[in-house]
Amino acid sequence: MSLTQYIRNNRLLLFGLVVAPAGLYGGIKIKEWRTQRKIDEVKRSVALAESGRTDDGATRADNEVRVELQGLRAARSMVRREEMLLEQELNSIALKLRRLDEREKKAEIIKESKENK
């Protein structure tokens, strides 16, 4: 049996002989494409860094303002939280004072009723 007859009779071998080189070629092209994409991305990042811009087109000054604004927002949030806690504490103290006033009034009423007897 000759080699050509053996390959014709063995379909799996024929399939492997055709598909394997195509897969290798495709894999190499994908690897080259990814490598080129990485190189282009690095070049773009270097160019942006040299020009003082970021990926979204903002300058370094814009980024500094953005960071400062985030810090101010966080500080505002903390102040609001503290304000709420102080308001709760003030309400609690006001409630305790009202209860104390009511007790004092009751004590005065009891004292007056004892004196009137």
Side-chain angles (χ1 to χ4, degrees):
M1 181 188 306
S2 71
L3 182 62
T4 55
Q5 289 176 340
Y6 182 74
I7 292 174
R8 283 185 190 153
N9 290 339
N10 194 344
R11 299 280 183 201
L12 186 61
L13 180 63
L14 180 63
F15 182 75
L17 289 173
V18 171
V19 171
L24 288 173
Y25 178 78
I28 290 170
K29 287 299 179 184
I30 289 173
K31 184 170 175 73
E32 288 175 358
W33 176 75
R34 286 182 179 168
T35 304
Q36 188 60 42
R37 230 177 73 201
K38 287 180 183 178
I39 291 170
D40 292 343
E41 188 176 318
V42 169
K43 286 180 182 177
R44 186 173 51 94
S45 296
V46 169
L48 287 173
E50 288 175 352
S51 69
R53 296 196 167 275
T54 59
D55 288 338
D56 59 357
T59 62
R60 288 185 185 129
D62 291 342
N63 286 337
E64 290 172 5
V65 169
R66 187 177 300 140
V67 168
E68 185 179 348
L69 182 61
Q70 287 174 348
L72 291 173
R73 285 180 179 156
R76 181 181 63 187
S77 175
M78 286 176 43
V79 167
R80 284 183 178 170
R81 234 178 282 130
E82 288 178 17
E83 182 183 8
M84 285 177 33
L85 291 173
L86 290 173
E87 187 176 338
Q88 289 175 351
E89 190 175 334
L90 184 62
N91 289 339
S92 174
I93 291 171
L95 182 63
K96 289 176 183 178
L97 285 175
R98 261 189 254 127
R99 288 180 184 163
L100 184 61
D101 287 342
E102 289 173 2
R103 285 183 192 160
E104 288 176 353
K105 286 180 184 178
K106 286 180 184 179
E108 286 179 17
I109 293 171
I110 292 172
K111 185 179 179 184
E112 287 177 3
S113 66
K114 286 182 180 179
E115 289 176 0
N116 290 338
K117 283 186 182 181

